[in-house]
Amino acid sequence: MTPQSILAELVADERISDPAGARGRLLREAARLFREKGYERTTVRDLATAVGIQSGSLFHHFRSKEAILKAVMVETVLLNTELMRHAVKQATTADERLRALVLCELEAINGQTGEAMAVLVFEWRSLSPESQRDILKLRDIYEQLWLDVLGELRQAGRLAADPFIARRLLTGALSWTVTWYRPDGPRSLDTLADEVMAMLGMTSPVTTSS
């Protein structure tokens, strides 16, 4: 399955919004505004103006501004979890599975869900405790994919670090790429994934023979 077909399947199952639909466009603009202005400084009027509707029309889709924030977070976690799950299934070795996870997360952070992923990190405290618990349940599923693969590598003697610590360090390193990685620069995300694997001692980055 391609990323597009995985997205289409999630939309068909009504697990996430159609990006081309009114709700999907609203969530995309909300992610952008929450990232640029911050959740607290973004008004309902800002959100409505961004998608070209009246402020009151927002509440045909969501009961509150916080519900919009929660939906941004829920849908990006669901989408990226499914993309990662599929990538892991396609890999044949533990090393390949880890690289697949690394690449998927790099694409999530620096690609189409980048703004939503940033909102997930930086606007976490804006959620109510109940909403935080709901998001944490989804995040636990997402994180377990990493811990399972890292645990497999540890058991095989391919990873010396504790899987939990390794994942936390990788989270910080991969998340920080949004501050310096440039899609039009000399390295693709695919190449960057190879560099991460080399840093972990899993594989060596591809070099040009002389």
Side-chain angles (χ1 to χ4, degrees):
M1 294 178 70
T2 65
Q4 291 76 20
S5 62
I6 292 170
L7 172 62
E9 187 174 278
L10 290 171
V11 170
D13 291 343
E14 298 184 345
R15 297 180 65 195
I16 67 172
S17 305
D18 182 351
R23 181 183 168 102
R25 288 187 289 108
L26 172 56
L27 292 179
R28 184 170 62 251
E29 290 300 318
R32 179 182 64 81
L33 287 169
F34 293 156
R35 180 70 180 104
E36 291 177 358
K37 299 181 64 174
Y39 173 74
E40 294 298 335
R41 291 188 297 278
T42 300
T43 66
V44 169
R45 178 171 295 183
D46 292 332
L47 293 168
T49 299
V51 291
I53 62 175
Q54 297 294 319
S55 297
S57 298
L58 287 180
F59 301 109
H60 291 304
H61 303 285
F62 299 97
R63 67 180 183 276
S64 65
K65 190 175 79 166
E66 188 198 340
I68 297 173
L69 175 64
K70 181 180 178 181
V72 167
M73 295 183 181
V74 165
E75 295 204 6
T76 195
V77 175
L78 285 174
L79 174 58
N80 286 308
T81 297
E82 288 306 312
L83 290 171
M84 286 186 170
R85 183 176 283 137
H86 178 73
V88 166
K89 285 181 180 178
Q90 296 298 108
T92 57
T93 68
D95 283 38
E96 290 175 359
R97 284 188 277 279
L98 179 58
R99 188 188 181 283
L101 290 174
V102 169
L103 181 58
C104 281
E105 189 152 287
L106 286 171
E107 290 173 339
I109 292 166
N110 296 282
Q112 65 175 345
T113 63
E115 289 171 327
M117 290 287 280
V119 169
L120 181 62
V121 173
F122 295 110
E123 297 296 344
W124 174 253
R125 295 181 183 278
S126 298
L127 290 174
S128 67
E130 181 181 2
S131 291
Q132 287 182 358
R133 287 192 292 270
D134 291 340
I135 301 297
L136 281 175
K137 290 178 183 177
L138 297 177
R139 286 285 296 182
D140 284 346
I141 297 170
Y142 178 97
E143 290 298 321
Q144 194 61 48
L145 290 171
W146 284 90
L147 294 175
D148 286 347
V149 172
L150 290 167
E152 183 182 3
L153 287 164
R154 175 69 179 271
Q155 191 169 30
R158 300 282 291 128
L159 179 72
D162 178 277
F164 179 85
I165 300 300
R167 173 54 184 153
R168 291 299 175 271
L169 292 172
L170 279 168
T171 299
L174 298 179
S175 297
W176 197 249
T177 59
V178 74
T179 67
W180 58 265
Y181 176 75
R182 296 293 175 265
D184 57 353
R187 289 182 176 84
S188 66
L189 289 177
D190 202 62
T191 300
L192 188 55
D194 286 337
E195 296 285 356
V196 173
M197 293 297 288
M199 182 181 69
L200 294 170
M202 299 294 169
T203 57
S204 299
V206 176
T207 56
T208 304
S209 58
S210 55

